[in-house]
């Protein structure tokens, strides 16, 4: 052994230092090779994509960078640009308040919808991030709709206060009666709340100046604020109604079942724009001209009905996806209908339905721009009507519609990101 | 018992609705505001400005009526209407009058049961082409592609005109005016056709308006005017004569500058009757003596309103044309105030 050893010309006595991987297999080159140029087809696609990005940047870059912000009309923009490519953002600078709040909302009161918008996040946080915030903060969420109404519409504080108290009364009646039967509880809650509102309606008449903010009639609202209001109100109203409809459709009681089925199928069979025309045009014939049921309220009712029918079907899908064992398990624990739904069935079914619900909500939020067709000045209505109808801005399209698209994109993208986060949070399968 | 109460309530409601429809003037006075239907936005005719105040040629008619009835040209609730909602808004009583560049046609007047109270702008359909096309008359448009708004009378007029002249055309259907401007500029069509006032406004918004020409032919009659519901002739008279007062004021040389002077009394009887220093014309309408003076003082006479909103000094730059006084070769002809 030692013999062979001594014959060796070279014996390595220490380990070689690690050599770096070849250039092709490391760092940015590797990343490029693997991700961008891994095959001929992918190389072609990469080059095409680079060309497209380059084209987009060279096309929009000067337009954005040369943008003019300070002129007072399109022709002045053109004078300033003097033949160069450039956007005329002056229209946004001059009319931003009309795009956001509509053209009739008093400008000294812009802080009120602004505050309501900020508080929206405060109110949504405990609901959306239930694991982060303590449950008690949900009180804020419950108060928010009434506070927002007070801020946006103004008037005496007694209206939202009594409205809130009506819900509280209804809730307690429900709590008492639900022990006997779920539908009894629901009916009792609705009736007692209606009675409470009817009675207090007389009281608010006498107290119309108590802690009153300057009232703003709803026809003075417009712009993106109107889209947000319609979107938030209709989505949040349609969720509970949709749940009730979905449960009603599964009910064994024939009348409730058929009411739900007819409602859902009728609303789903009619385009939203038709419902909006009914709200605007047909109802005007039936209601007396001085009736107080204003256009926004009619539109809210129609959009809510439309959205609830869709959400009901989404939730029905979630209910159908639950294995029957879950229903049986709830029954075998001795839970009554209301308890089994609240504690066992709905939490699971709603979790399954999240992507569908978000889908409907995002679609609905964008559909709120349809109200521009019935001469309401939402964001798109403001652009198409008053702003393009002004002599100084007639002819500005890309800047205005780009701005509208940006606002809608921000909101819709946030909703979709949140829903994906929520799905990850609620995942229980450890996959 | 309950049923009879219900029926009584319905009857009462029906009666009061009928009564309301019969006395628009009293309704407006009681309400303190005039509900005036306007467009959602049309350059020069009606649009809110940066401060949210409605301005324009149609708006001026609303303001004149409000000034005559309520002594306050700002006591107006402007109800924006689209082409699809305007007639139901008027028929259902949501608005008291409609001043929304609406063409006076037989069916609208007779079948839809409205009453047109005059014409505040004589429009007509025209053609716009790029100058580079070298066309100088609509008769040379054989084989052209034409951008046209669908569902409007302009579409039918276009078909009639080309058929009458034995020409072919290829329509490019477009939904809105804004869209058609873009399509036309992008070269999707050779010709853009709509009302001449709209063409002028569109052309004014182009980067180089001088590259486009509006052809001389007018292929349809579009008398645009304010309208009210059938069945309330007193209110119809009031709107009609307020418009006539604006037109007559121009003919008689009454302007916003000299009206205070003339209202002290002149030796021209018709001026005196119009401005209320002679006669009782105001009382006959159910108003006071100075109704017409107030209407004219809002924005001046017809000519001043035209010049301020759509005239040649504005970006739209419309010539008076048919809308000149009859004494100057136009069609404006206010009946005598007597």
């Amino acid at each position: 052994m030692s013999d062979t050893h001594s014959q060796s010309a070279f014996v390595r006595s220490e380990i070689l230092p690690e050599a770096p991987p070849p250039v092709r297999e490391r760092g940015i080159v590797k990343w490029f090779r693997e991700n961008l140029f891994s095959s001929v087809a992918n190389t072609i696609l990469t080059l095409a994509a680079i060309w497209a990005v380059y084209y987009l940047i060279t096309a929009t870059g000067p337009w954005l960078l040369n943008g003019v912000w300070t002129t007072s009309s399109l022709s002045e923009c053109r004078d300033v640009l003097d033949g160069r490519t450039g956007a005329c953002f002056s229209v946004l600078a001059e009319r931003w308040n009309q795009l956001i709040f509509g053209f009739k909302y008093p400008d000294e009161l812009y802080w009120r919808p602004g505050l309501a918008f900020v508080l929206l996040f405060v109110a949504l946080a405990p609901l959306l991030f239930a694991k982060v915030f303590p449950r008690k903060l949900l009180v804020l969420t419950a108060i928010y709709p009434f506070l927002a109404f007070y801020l946006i519409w103004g008037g005496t504080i007694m209206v939202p206060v009594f409205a809130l108290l009506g819900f509280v009364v209804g809730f307690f009646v429900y709590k008492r009666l639900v022990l006997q039967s779920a539908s009894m509880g629901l009916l009792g809650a609705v009736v007692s709340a209606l009675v409470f509102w009817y009675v207090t309606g007389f009281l608010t008449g006498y107290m119309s100046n108590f802690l009153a903010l300057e009232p703003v009639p709803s026809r003075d609202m417009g712009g993106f604020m109107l889209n947000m209001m319609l979107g938030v109100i209709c989505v949040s109203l349609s969720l509970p109604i949709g749940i009730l409809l979905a449960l009603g459709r599964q009910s064994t009681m024939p009348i409730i079942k058929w009411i739900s089925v007819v409602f859902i199928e009728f609303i789903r069979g009619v385009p939203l724009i038709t419902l909006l025309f009914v709200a605007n045009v047909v109802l005007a014939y039936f209601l007396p001209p001085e009736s107080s049921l204003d256009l926004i309220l009619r539109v809210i009712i129609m959009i809510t009905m439309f959205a609830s029918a869709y959400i009901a079907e989404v939730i029905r899908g979630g209910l159908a996806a639950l294995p029957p064992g879950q229903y049986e398990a709830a029954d075998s624990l001795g839970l009554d209908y209301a308890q089994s739904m609240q504690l066992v069935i709905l939490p699971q079914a709603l979790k399954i339905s999240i992507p569908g619900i978000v889908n409907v909500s995002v679609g609905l939020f964008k559909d709120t721009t349809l109200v521009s067709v019935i001469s309401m000045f939402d964001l798109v209505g403001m652009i198409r009507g008053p702003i393009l109808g002004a002599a100084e801005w007639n002819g500005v399209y890309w800047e205005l519609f780009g701005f509208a698209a940006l606002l809608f994109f921000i909101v819709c993208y946030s909703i979709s990101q949140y829903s994906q986060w929520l799905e990850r949070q609620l995942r229980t399968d450890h996959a | 018992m309950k049923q009879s109460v219900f029926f009584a309530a319905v009857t009462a409601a029906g009666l009061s609705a009928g009564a309301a429809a019969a006395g628009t003037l009293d309704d407006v006075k009681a309400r303190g505001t005039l509900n005036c239907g306007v467009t959602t936005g049309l350059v020069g005719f009606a649009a809110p400005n940066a401060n949210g105040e409605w301005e324009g040629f149609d708006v001026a008619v609303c303001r004149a009526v409000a000034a005559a009835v309520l002594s306050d040209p700002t006591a107006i609730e402007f109800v924006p209407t689209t082409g699809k909602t305007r007639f139901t808004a008027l028929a259902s009583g949501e608005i008291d009058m409609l001043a929304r560049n609406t063409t006076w046609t037989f069916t609208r007047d007779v079948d839809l049961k409205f009453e047109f109270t005059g014409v505040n702008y004589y429009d007509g359909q025209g053609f716009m082409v790029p100058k580079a096309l070298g066309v100088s008359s609509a008769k040379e448009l054989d084989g052209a592609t034409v951008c046209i708004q669908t569902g409007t009378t302009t579409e039918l007029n276009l078909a009639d005109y080309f058929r009458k002249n034995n020409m072919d055309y290829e329509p490019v259907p477009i939904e809105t005016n804004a869209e058609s401007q873009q399509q036309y500029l992008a070269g999707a069509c050779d010709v853009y056709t709509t009302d001449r006032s709209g063409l002028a406004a569109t052309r004014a918004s182009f980067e180089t308006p001088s590259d486009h020409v509006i052809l001389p032919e007018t292929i349809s009659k579009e008398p645009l005017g304010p309208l009210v519901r059938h069945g309330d002739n007193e209110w119809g008279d009031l709107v009609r004569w307020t418009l006539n007062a604006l037109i007559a004021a121009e003919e008689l040389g009454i302007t916003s500058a000299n009206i205070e002077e003339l209202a002290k009394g002149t030796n021209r009887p018709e001026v005196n009757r119009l401005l209320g220093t002679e006669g009782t014309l105001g009382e006959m309408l159910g108003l006071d003596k100075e109704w017409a003076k107030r209407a004219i003082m809002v924005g001046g006479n017809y000519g001043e309103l035209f010049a301020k909103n759509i005239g040649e000094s504005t970006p739209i730059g419309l010539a008076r044309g048919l809308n000149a006084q009859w004494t100057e070769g136009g069609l404006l002809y206010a009946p005598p105030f007597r």
Side-chain angles (χ1 to χ4, degrees), chain B residues 269-292:
Chain B
E270 186 152 20
V271 172
N272 292 351
R273 284 194 296 271
L274 181 59
L275 297 181
T277 45
E278 264 181 54
T280 55
L281 296 183
E283 281 96 285
M284 294 177 203
L285 279 175
L287 300 172
D288 61 353
K289 277 173 180 298
E290 298 196 320
W291 65 280

Side-chain angles (χ1 to χ4, degrees), chain B residues 141-146 148 155-156 158-160 162-163 167-172:
Chain B
L141 290 176
D142 196 10
T145 50
V146 183
I148 179 102
E155 201 177 9
L156 307 173
L158 180 74
D160 287 357
F162 273 77
R163 207 176 83 191
M167 300 194 293
D168 285 329
Y169 72 102
E170 193 182 328
V172 179

Side-chain angles (χ1 to χ4, degrees), chain A residues 74 78 94-95 98 103-104 219 277 280-281 284-285 289-290 372-373 375 377 384-386 388-391 394-395 397-398, chain B residues 31 40-44 47-50 52 54 77 80-82 84-85 88 91-93 176 178 181-182 201 205-207:
Chain A
L74 180 61
R78 285 171 178 159
E94 191 195 278
R95 299 287 180 112
Q98 297 193 348
F103 69 93
K104 279 174 88 184
R219 63 175 169 275
F277 271 118
N280 183 18
V281 174
Y285 277 111
E290 311 297 334
S372 63
V373 180
S375 62
F377 291 123
R384 291 211 309 189
L388 286 181
N394 185 19
Y397 299 101
W398 286 95
Chain B
R31 200 190 304 131
T40 51
L42 181 69
V43 179
N49 63 13
W54 284 90
E77 191 63 60
T81 57
T82 65
K84 296 179 179 86
T85 62
T88 39
S92 67
T176 65
Q181 296 183 19
Q182 291 289 300
S205 77
F206 288 166
E207 201 153 357

Side-chain angles (χ1 to χ4, degrees), chain A residues 177-340:
Chain A
L177 291 181
V178 77
L179 298 174
Q180 295 163 34
S181 122
S183 40
M184 268 280 281
L186 206 58
L187 189 71
V190 170
V191 169
S192 55
L194 286 180
V195 169
F196 182 84
W197 287 328
Y198 183 74
V199 172
T200 52
F202 295 109
L203 272 176
T204 48
Y206 293 112
M207 305 172 75
S208 56
N209 286 322
F210 184 71
L211 278 180
L213 289 175
E214 187 186 325
V216 182
S218 46
R219 63 175 169 275
D220 287 2
M221 292 163 194
F224 194 59
M225 179 177 85
L226 182 61
N227 294 112
M228 283 296 288
M229 280 163 50
L230 290 176
V232 171
I233 296 175
C234 296
V235 168
S236 42
L237 286 179
S238 61
L239 251 182
I241 299 177
I243 292 175
L244 289 180
L245 283 172
L247 293 177
R249 194 167 185 170
Q250 291 217 322
S251 169
T252 48
M253 288 181 274
I255 293 183
I256 289 183
K257 183 182 168 112
W258 283 111
I259 288 176
S260 307
V261 169
V262 167
F263 180 86
I264 291 170
E265 294 302 332
F266 174 73
I267 298 286
R268 287 207 310 162
V270 179
L272 178 56
I273 192 81
T274 319
L275 291 178
L276 291 177
F277 271 118
V278 169
N280 183 18
V281 174
V282 183
L283 285 184
Y285 277 111
F286 295 132
L287 299 169
E290 311 297 334
S291 76
S292 58
L293 195 60
D294 64 40
L295 187 56
I296 284 204
L297 192 59
R298 286 184 252 160
V299 166
I300 286 177
I301 293 173
M302 287 300 177
I303 299 184
T304 305
M305 277 165 52
F306 186 78
S308 347
Y310 276 85
I311 286 192
E313 284 301 280
V314 168
I315 291 175
R316 190 170 69 96
L319 290 171
L322 278 194
Q326 296 292 330
Y327 293 87
E328 289 157 9
D331 288 344
S332 67
L333 284 172
L335 302 180
D336 64 20
Y337 180 77
Q339 286 170 325
S340 70

Side-chain angles (χ1 to χ4, degrees), chain B residues 185-264:
Chain B
L185 282 180
C189 46
D190 306 324
V191 188
Y192 177 36
T193 180
T194 186
D195 288 351
R196 294 181 77 89
S197 62
L199 286 181
T202 303
R203 180 168 170 267
S205 77
F206 288 166
E207 201 153 357
T208 45
S210 53
D211 287 354
H212 304 270
V213 285
I214 296 176
L215 299 178
E217 283 86 356
T218 302
I219 65 165
S220 73
K221 292 186 285 185
E222 311 280 347
L224 311 178
L227 55 157
V228 298
R229 278 181 299 278
H230 257 187
D232 186 355
N233 297 16
E234 286 75 16
W235 178 248
D237 287 347
L238 197 155
V239 177
R240 174 178 299 113
W241 285 96
T242 306
L243 178 60
N244 282 338
L246 298 178
I247 296 172
E250 187 188 18
E251 188 186 342
L252 297 171
I254 305 171
T255 66
S256 51
N258 66 11
I259 189 166
E260 286 292 357
E261 188 64 29
L262 295 176
K264 289 180 185 141

Side-chain angles (χ1 to χ4, degrees), chain B residues 256-328:
Chain B
S256 51
N258 66 11
I259 189 166
E260 286 292 357
E261 188 64 29
L262 295 176
K264 289 180 185 141
T266 63
N267 55 6
R268 292 155 65 197
E270 186 152 20
V271 172
N272 292 351
R273 284 194 296 271
L274 181 59
L275 297 181
T277 45
E278 264 181 54
T280 55
L281 296 183
E283 281 96 285
M284 294 177 203
L285 279 175
L287 300 172
D288 61 353
K289 277 173 180 298
E290 298 196 320
W291 65 280
K293 182 187 163 199
R294 287 193 303 269
I296 298 163
M297 278 176 75
V298 179
N301 62 36
Y302 182 92
E304 289 173 87
L305 294 173
F306 194 99
K308 189 170 131 238
N309 291 302
I310 51 180
E312 278 172 325
S313 61
T314 67
I316 306 163
L318 290 171
R320 285 296 288 270
L322 290 177
N323 297 290
Q325 294 285 337
W326 64 284
T327 48
E328 291 164 22

